[in-house]
Amino acid sequence: MLNNKIIFEPKNDKNVLEYEEHQSSSFDTPMRADAFELDDETKIELIAKHFAGIMQILGLDLDDDSLQDTPKRVAKMYVKEIFSGLNPANKPEPTLFKNAYHYNQMLVERNIAVFSNCEHHFVPIVGKAHVAYISNGQVIGLSKLNRIVQYCSQRPQVQERLTIQIANLMKEALGTEDVAVVIDAYHHCVSSRGVKDSGSTTLTAEYCGQFLNVETRNEFLKYIG
């Protein structure tokens, strides 16, 4: 399963890569204090102007029918879609239910789509997230797990931070430390530029609470294949 993958594991393990070399100094996405002083429409207008400038520098003809609306399309996509996770107003509200049936085993949600963008080159990170938790008395609506992954993904990212952010948001939403997150993703900054290796993927993991126990972790890994 792990052939041809770059593996970063939690720093709790002694037999893994030096995790400190890969994680940022903060688990939060680097943001300025005035990041939300502008409304979305103003941001779209300003980004469109700047992107038009980039296109002009590249020598593209903005009077062409196919290109004339591209700056605004890109700006709207940035603000409303692929970077919408930067705005905490878009943070998903968890839908929690009492665990009336006393299910006390792990719940695993596999193959959640990850669509993010590398913060170093602003090109896509595409892959799958596998998440799990053990209830402490509450269960979450399944679609909310997908939305948590989506929210954390929709911002410029590094995969290590993304993995930790998903785990932290799950812990916050569920009120439990017993969560696990594994992400397996292709980085287009590797496949489409530089070394141009289209076959490798990057695997990151964050284990918390009971998932730090080897048996519990191995059970989770068995479930996700």
Side-chain angles (χ1 to χ4, degrees), residues 9 34 48 95 110 118 192 198 218:
E9 292 279 4
D34 63 349
T95 304
R110 302 189 305 172
C118 166
S192 66
S198 61
N218 286 342

Side-chain angles (χ1 to χ4, degrees), residues 138-167:
Q138 297 187 102
V139 294
I140 193 170
L142 289 179
S143 68
K144 296 302 181 182
L145 295 173
N146 301 64
R147 292 188 184 279
I148 286 172
V149 172
Q150 183 183 53
Y151 171 69
C152 294
S153 299
Q154 290 180 331
R155 59 188 75 171
Q157 277 289 16
V158 293
Q159 187 173 324
E160 301 92 323
R161 184 200 300 136
L162 172 60
T163 309
I164 295 168
Q165 286 181 347
I166 292 170

Side-chain angles (χ1 to χ4, degrees), residues 5-195:
K5 298 180 189 291
I6 304 168
I7 305 173
F8 305 131
E9 292 279 4
K11 57 187 177 183
N12 306 67
D13 292 336
K14 297 178 181 178
N15 60 340
V16 296
L17 299 176
E18 290 297 321
Y19 191 70
E20 286 80 4
E21 293 180 3
H22 301 283
Q23 70 177 11
S24 79
S25 59
S26 170
F27 298 149
D28 296 326
T29 302
M31 299 287 289
R32 297 197 324 271
D34 63 349
F36 307 107
E37 290 183 1
L38 300 178
D39 60 49
D40 283 357
E41 294 309 313
T42 302
K43 288 182 179 181
I44 290 170
E45 180 182 350
L46 292 171
I47 291 170
K49 289 180 180 178
H50 286 291
F51 200 81
I54 292 172
M55 294 177 67
Q56 288 171 341
I57 291 169
L58 291 172
L60 295 169
D61 182 5
L62 287 171
D63 292 327
D64 184 88
D65 288 347
S66 181
L67 297 178
Q68 61 184 359
D69 292 327
T70 295
K72 188 168 184 179
R73 282 193 293 262
V74 170
K76 186 176 180 181
M77 176 184 68
Y78 277 5
V79 174
K80 296 292 189 181
E81 297 178 272
I82 64 174
F83 297 137
S84 62
L86 290 171
N87 191 340
N90 296 322
K91 181 179 177 180
E93 291 293 329
T95 304
L96 299 177
F97 307 92
K98 289 183 179 180
N99 186 6
Y101 20 86
H102 304 293
Y103 181 76
N104 60 3
Q105 303 299 312
M106 72 178 69
L107 183 145
V108 181
E109 184 85 358
R110 302 189 305 172
N111 298 321
I112 301 173
V114 170
F115 293 99
S116 191
N117 278 265
C118 166
E119 69 180 34
H120 300 141
H121 295 94
F122 272 49
V123 291
I125 299 170
V126 180
K128 299 290 185 181
H130 314 287
V131 305
Y133 74 93
I134 299 172
S135 173
N136 71 344
Q138 297 187 102
V139 294
I140 193 170
L142 289 179
S143 68
K144 296 302 181 182
L145 295 173
N146 301 64
R147 292 188 184 279
I148 286 172
V149 172
Q150 183 183 53
Y151 171 69
C152 294
S153 299
Q154 290 180 331
R155 59 188 75 171
Q157 277 289 16
V158 293
Q159 187 173 324
E160 301 92 323
R161 184 200 300 136
L162 172 60
T163 309
I164 295 168
Q165 286 181 347
I166 292 170
N168 286 346
L169 195 52
M170 286 178 61
K171 289 189 287 185
E172 177 187 328
L174 286 157
T176 179
E177 289 292 312
D178 301 328
V179 306
V181 179
V182 167
I183 297 177
D184 187 4
Y186 291 91
H187 288 244
H188 286 223
C189 59
V190 174
S191 63
S192 66
R193 57 162 301 281
V195 71

